Amino acid sequence: MCDVTSWVSIRELSSLTLSFGEIHVWKISSDSHVSIFLTRDEERECEEIKNEVFRAQYIKRRSTFRKLAAYYLKKDPLDFDIDYGADGKPLFSHVDLQFSVSHSADEMVVAFCSNTAIGIDIESGVRLQNPLAIAERYFSAEEYEFLQQTEKRLLRNTFLRLWVCKEAALKSSGHGLSGGLTTTSVRFDVESRVAIHRGVDGKQLTGLEFILAEGFRGALVAESAEYMENVKWFVLS
């Protein structure tokens, strides 16, 4: 599994280039500071959030995403729209820049690449209750059996590893959790590699597990397996 020490702290974006066949994954540190970039629609959404903590999280997440996306798009942070494909996957129109976003508690990650669809997911599992019951309902029979045979002390972590891989695979296609958790199966491979069969379209995918922070697990999936050999990990500080 990719160790947390693999992350490289970045303050200035100007020195980075997203080359063909690369994926850039960004971790947004909890103490990072970013200017506020919200469109009028996003400002209206923000005003509807009554909880101050959630409102602050919304502002930081949207602003940070716009800052990063603007760099790769070579545009002003407020000078682009986020559209949605037929399957509901968020995207940029008329450009080949692909992205995926995930957040859990105070943590957030964003992945960018060109020319291939990607999906990323992180989970902390702090509120996870009775993982076997969830697995029996939403996982494949093989995965449920695998969890039943897992040591109790490892059960929560193993469940999270399976879950983030499934969700990342479904996000890469744009189907999300409704796209078939039970028909998307995961097999842990050597080191941090994961073999995934996505039932919604029958594709065989390669996933990459990573450690975000203590107690958090993450997974990254790209439609083109060769991209998984060229992943760069950054922390926006």
Side-chain angles (χ1 to χ4, degrees):
M1 187 175 295
C2 292
D3 190 83
V4 69
T5 55
S6 300
W7 301 85
V8 177
S9 181
I10 298 289
R11 287 186 178 274
E12 298 296 330
L13 302 177
S14 57
S15 62
L16 294 178
T17 300
L18 180 62
S19 301
F20 181 84
E22 280 186 349
I23 300 175
H24 287 186
V25 178
W26 289 90
K27 171 186 174 182
I28 315 306
S29 61
S30 57
D31 58 351
S32 65
H33 299 282
V34 64
S35 300
I36 296 176
F37 300 113
L38 296 178
T39 64
R40 289 185 178 180
D41 286 343
E42 289 167 342
E43 287 176 347
R44 283 192 285 269
E45 281 188 48
C46 186
E47 290 172 358
E48 295 176 358
I49 302 174
K50 304 306 180 184
N51 184 289
E52 291 186 7
V53 174
F54 294 162
R55 189 186 308 121
Q57 288 178 336
Y58 177 93
I59 293 171
K60 182 173 182 178
R61 289 166 180 168
R62 287 301 179 103
S63 298
T64 303
F65 172 76
R66 285 193 166 275
K67 176 181 178 177
L68 291 171
Y71 175 76
Y72 291 109
L73 290 168
K74 296 179 172 56
K75 291 188 175 184
D76 183 89
L78 295 176
D79 194 29
F80 63 87
D81 295 320
I82 301 170
D83 297 318
Y84 294 87
D87 51 13
K89 183 178 175 65
L91 50 80
F92 301 124
S93 293
H94 311 301
V95 294
D96 62 6
L97 182 67
Q98 304 286 322
F99 69 91
S100 185
V101 182
S102 183
H103 51 77
S104 179
D106 290 331
E107 301 291 340
M108 173 181 175
V109 289
V110 188
F112 293 96
C113 74
S114 59
N115 300 103
T116 192
I118 52 175
I120 196 167
D121 188 57
I122 57 171
E123 299 289 345
S124 69
V126 172
R127 299 179 181 179
L128 177 62
Q129 301 291 331
N130 201 346
L132 279 178
I134 299 173
E136 185 177 19
R137 181 175 181 182
Y138 293 109
F139 287 10
S140 69
E142 293 79 7
E143 290 165 338
Y144 178 60
E145 183 179 353
F146 176 68
L147 285 172
Q148 284 183 307
Q149 297 172 359
T150 300
E151 293 182 48
K152 187 175 181 179
R153 64 184 180 87
L154 300 175
L155 181 59
R156 177 187 294 261
N157 184 57
T158 305
F159 174 92
L160 284 178
R161 292 175 64 195
L162 288 166
W163 183 276
V164 294
C165 290
K166 284 172 170 286
E167 187 160 353
L170 291 169
K171 288 172 72 174
S172 70
S173 70
H175 291 88
L177 295 181
S178 62
L181 279 172
T182 56
T183 59
T184 297
S185 58
V186 175
R187 186 182 75 252
F188 298 128
D189 210 335
V190 295
E191 298 180 349
S192 54
R193 293 290 189 271
V194 182
I196 303 171
H197 171 78
R198 191 170 60 205
V200 68
D201 55 14
K203 285 191 175 182
Q204 303 294 328
L205 305 170
T206 298
L208 183 64
E209 295 185 89
F210 63 90
I211 298 172
L212 183 70
E214 183 65 30
F216 285 80
R217 290 293 177 267
L220 172 70
V221 172
E223 299 285 293
S224 299
E226 59 268 24
Y227 278 69
M228 306 306 290
E229 304 298 326
N230 296 288
V231 182
K232 295 185 177 181
W233 309 86
F234 303 115
V235 177
L236 185 63
S237 58

